Amino acid sequence: MELLFSPLFSGSGGNAVYVGCEESGILIDAGVSCARVVNELEKIGVSPTSLKALLITHEHSDHIAGAGILSRKFDLPIYATEGTWRGMEEKVGQIQPKNMRLVDPRIDFFVDGMNIMPFPIPHDAMEPCGYSISLGGIKASVATDLGCIRDGWMNAVEGSDILLLESNYDPDMLKAGKYPYSLKTRILGRKGHLSNDDAGAACVKLVGKNVKNIILGHLSKENNFPELAMETASLALREAGVEIGRDMTLSIARRDGFSGLYSLKDGFQELSKGVRGV
Ligand SMILES: [Zn+2]
Ligand SMILES: [Zn+2]
C-alpha cells in the first residue's frame, strides 16, 4: 500500500492538496483556477481524470475558486458539509445533482478504498471541517484555517503519518501591518487563523500524539515569511526536547506550486518531482 500526498497550493491566495493511491486520487479544496490545479497535478504525474472526489473544507474563496469548473469539466463529485454547501452554492455555479455529495462531519466514508474522516474545525465559516484520509494503516491529514488549538481536531489528526498544519501569521507583523482593524480582529480571533506561535505549540502537542511529519502551510502573504514560520515552530519543538529529523520532520508548503510528492508506505520518503508510484 502506498498513499501519495502533495500540497499543490497552500496559502491565503489559494489551497489545494492531492492525496492518492495507485488507482485513484482525491483533491482537498480547489482554491485556485481549474487550469492551475491541472497544471500542478501534471507536474506530479497525476491525470485529472483519475480524480474521484473533491473534498471541500469550507466556502471561503481561497478553498473553492476552481471547484465548480473542476467538477463540470471532469465530472467530479464535490463533497462538503451541509453548511458549506449553503455557503458556496451560489459561488461554484451549477453542479450536477449526482456530483453534490453531503458530508456529515461526524461520519467517515470511503472513496475507492480510501477512508475519509471529516472533523469539525473552529473557523468563521458555515460548517468548516478538516479531513484525515487513511489507507492500509497510513494516515494523511489536512488541518488549516483553525482559529485555535482544540482537543477535537488535535485528537482527529492523532497518529497521522503526515499532516498539513496551518501556520498563518506572525502576530507582530499582523498587528503592525496594513490590514483594517476588523480583519486583524477576525484573524486573531478563536475562529480565525493559527499564528506561528500557535502552530509551534500545536506541533509539540502533535508529536506527543504520534504525528510524524508536519508540513506548515496556509501562510499569509502579507503577515508571514516561510523562514519565520519554520524558525518559530523549530524553536518550540527544540525547547520541548524534540529533535527535528530524528523524532519527526518539519517542512513548509509553498504558496504557488506543489511542495514535493510525499510517498507514505514503509516509512516516509519524499519522492523527487514528477515521479509517481515507484
Ligand atoms: Zn477560511
Ligand atoms: Zn483559507
Side-chain angles (χ1 to χ4, degrees), residues 163-174:
L163 166 69
L164 179 65
L165 174 72
E166 174 166 62
S167 188
N168 185 254
Y169 64 93
D170 173 72
D172 293 331
M173 285 179 74
L174 176 68

Side-chain angles (χ1 to χ4, degrees), residues 168-169 171-190 192-193 223:
N168 185 254
Y169 64 93
D172 293 331
M173 285 179 74
L174 176 68
K175 284 170 192 159
K178 61 178 173 14
Y179 278 8
Y181 177 76
S182 58
L183 182 54
K184 287 181 183 177
T185 311
R186 202 211 115 206
I187 294 169
L188 286 162
R190 290 181 69 76
H193 291 278
N223 302 312

Side-chain angles (χ1 to χ4, degrees), residues 149 153-154 165-167 194-208 214 216 232-237 240:
I149 296 173
W153 68 262
M154 299 273 288
L165 174 72
E166 174 166 62
S167 188
L194 275 198
S195 70
N196 292 344
D197 302 289
D198 295 333
C203 282
V204 171
K205 288 188 175 190
L206 289 164
V207 169
I214 298 176
L216 302 174
T232 306
S234 301
L235 191 64
L237 286 160

